[in-house]
């Protein structure tokens, strides 16, 4: 219960910003969605569950791939995130997608319901990844596939470190326990894979995916986007106006290294961890 409240406290404040920046986020993480779809072998007529969908991704991008005979379901514990996902589905006129408020380890869904269960940048935040994994396998059909995308190391991802390295020069970096819910909890190759195996998945695999995060935004807009999307916005709120202006100058210089003139382009690395539910 305490862990659930911590999740709600951490993510409630982010919902409006993830909704505000949804188009840019969809564009930046599009290659990750493609990687997930390929690994999960998603196709026409399938039923797909998206765990920790936030304001609706990758669920909304998967809807056209399953077609009108398929079905997509997204869950997230933050009511404001789910409201944003439902609004977007309505705006797009999508009929075969539903979103519900739920935690990954307490799914309000029948067993053996889905051909595939996916999650983009969610698993690292679950209080009990093994509990969530067992619950996910429960709702997966025998023979169905699970696919999770998690960040590789921060140093390999300027999306994170171009800004956090500058902030760390102004404020002590937070101390994070190795297994605490955090963005880089599963950065070490093999760590999430082991949990997937322990939960009982068959055919468990991991692959490193290298790609480019690209967004048609200015350096200044990227700075705003990254602050609003992350906990950095709370961290730097304690700085004086002068220190903040100094930090921003340095941050814009650091981000500027990835400016193409028409947008931002950064190398990026994620781990795609997958498995299946055995057919007995
Ligand atoms: C980084 S966001 C990813 C959102 C979306 N999947 C995307 O890629 O755009 C992480 C999401 O995980 C959700 N989350 C955190 N803890 C969770 C849990 N225990 N069960 C399900 N979702 C959770 C948060 O509410 C948040 O929406």
């Amino acid at each position: 219960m305490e862990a659930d409240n911590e999740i709600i406290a951490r993510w409630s404040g982010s919902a409006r910003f993830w909704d505000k920046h949804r188009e840019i986020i969809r564009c930046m993480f599009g290659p990750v969605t493609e990687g997930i779809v390929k690994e999960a072998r998603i196709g026409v007529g399938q039923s797909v569950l998206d765990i920790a969908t936030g304001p609706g991704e990758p669920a909304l991008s998967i809807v056209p791939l399953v077609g009108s005979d398929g079905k997509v379901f997204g869950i997230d514990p933050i009511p404001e995130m789910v409201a944003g996902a439902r609004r977007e589905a309505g705006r797009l006129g999508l009929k075969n997608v539903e979103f519900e408020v739920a935690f990954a380890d307490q799914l309000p869904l029948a067993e053996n319901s889905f051909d595939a269960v996916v999650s983009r940048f969610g698993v690292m935040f679950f209080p009990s990844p093994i509990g969530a994994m067992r619950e996910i396998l429960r709702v997966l059909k025998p023979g169905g596939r699970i696919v999770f995308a998690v960040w590789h190391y921060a140093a390999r991802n300027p999306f994170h470190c171009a800004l956090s390295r500058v902030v760390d020069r102004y404020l002590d970096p937070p101390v994070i326990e190795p297994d605490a819910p955090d963005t880089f909890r599963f950065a070490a190759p093999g760590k999430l894979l082991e949990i997937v195996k322990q939960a009982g998945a068959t055919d468990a695999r991991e692959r490193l995916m290298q790609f480019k995060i690209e967004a048609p935004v200015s350096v200044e807009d990227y700075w705003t986007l990254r602050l609003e999307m992350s906990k950095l916005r709370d961290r730097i709120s304690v700085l004086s106006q002068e220190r903040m202006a100094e930090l921003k100058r340095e941050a814009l210089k650091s981000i500027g290294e990835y400016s193409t003139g028409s947008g931002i382009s950064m190398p990026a690395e994620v781990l795609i961890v997958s498995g299946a539910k055995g057919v007995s």
Side-chain angles (χ1 to χ4, degrees):
M1 193 61 188
E2 197 186 318
D4 291 356
N5 288 338
E6 273 175 32
I7 293 168
I8 291 167
R10 175 175 184 156
W11 288 100
S12 292
S14 299
R16 71 189 172 101
F17 296 120
W18 279 70
D19 199 30
K20 171 183 169 191
H21 298 298
R22 70 162 57 250
E23 245 344 275
I24 300 290
I25 294 173
R26 199 176 58 80
C27 168
M28 290 191 303
F29 299 160
V32 183
T33 298
E34 280 170 30
I36 289 173
V37 164
K38 192 168 166 212
E39 202 71 40
R41 299 172 202 157
I42 289 171
V44 172
Q46 288 187 352
S47 55
V48 180
L49 172 63
D50 179 19
I51 302 270
T53 190
E57 287 293 340
L60 293 166
S61 295
I62 290 173
V63 174
L65 306 177
V66 299
S68 53
D69 289 339
K71 173 100 192 146
V72 179
F73 204 92
I75 66 101
D76 197 279
I78 307 300
E80 294 87 347
M81 291 280 192
V82 169
R86 285 177 180 155
R87 248 192 330 270
E88 185 64 5
R91 195 185 68 79
L92 295 169
L94 302 175
K95 300 278 179 252
N96 51 341
V97 61
E98 271 180 60
F99 293 98
E100 271 310 325
V101 175
F103 288 89
D105 57 358
Q106 306 154 48
L107 297 172
L109 299 161
E111 62 187 47
N112 304 335
S113 303
F114 295 93
D115 297 295
V117 182
V118 301
S119 187
R120 189 179 81 181
F121 305 138
V123 190
M124 53 278 238
F125 301 112
F126 301 166
S128 166
I130 183 91
M133 220 52 84
R134 291 195 178 115
E135 183 66 344
I136 286 167
L137 286 169
R138 179 183 71 77
V139 302
L140 189 68
K141 289 180 191 171
R145 297 190 59 77
I146 50 174
V147 181
F148 308 106
V150 293
W151 291 105
H152 198 213
Y153 295 113
R156 313 285 303 178
N157 282 293
F159 177 74
H160 295 281
C161 69
L163 205 51
S164 62
R165 274 186 187 148
V166 176
V167 174
D168 289 351
R169 291 204 284 271
Y170 286 75
L171 294 158
D172 289 337
V175 180
I176 297 161
E177 299 296 322
D179 276 321
D182 180 67
T183 308
F184 300 104
R185 182 194 202 167
F186 292 124
K191 193 172 171 188
L192 179 58
L193 182 67
E194 194 47 42
I195 291 173
V196 166
K197 285 182 187 166
Q198 271 178 28
T202 59
D203 193 26
R205 307 167 197 200
E206 172 187 274
R207 81 181 167 87
L208 175 68
M209 181 182 157
Q210 296 174 307
F211 66 106
K212 285 255 164 60
I213 287 183
E214 300 195 312
V217 290
S218 66
V219 170
E220 176 93 26
D221 285 350
Y222 179 84
W223 148 265
T224 306
L225 166 99
R226 285 300 294 124
L227 282 190
E228 292 186 342
M229 276 179 79
S230 73
K231 286 188 299 180
L232 289 174
R233 69 174 186 270
D234 297 330
R235 261 185 85 197
I236 64 170
S237 64
V238 298
L239 291 173
S240 68
Q241 268 191 349
E242 254 178 19
R243 294 281 285 161
M244 182 76 95
E246 221 178 289
L247 182 154
K248 184 175 172 183
R249 260 193 311 278
E250 281 188 42
L252 294 185
K253 201 166 153 216
S254 170
I255 299 163
E257 287 174 32
Y258 302 98
S259 171
T260 61
S262 59
I264 296 289
S265 175
M266 301 174 155
E269 294 189 1
V270 301
L271 297 172
I272 304 276
V273 179
S274 62
K277 180 163 167 176
V279 184
S280 51

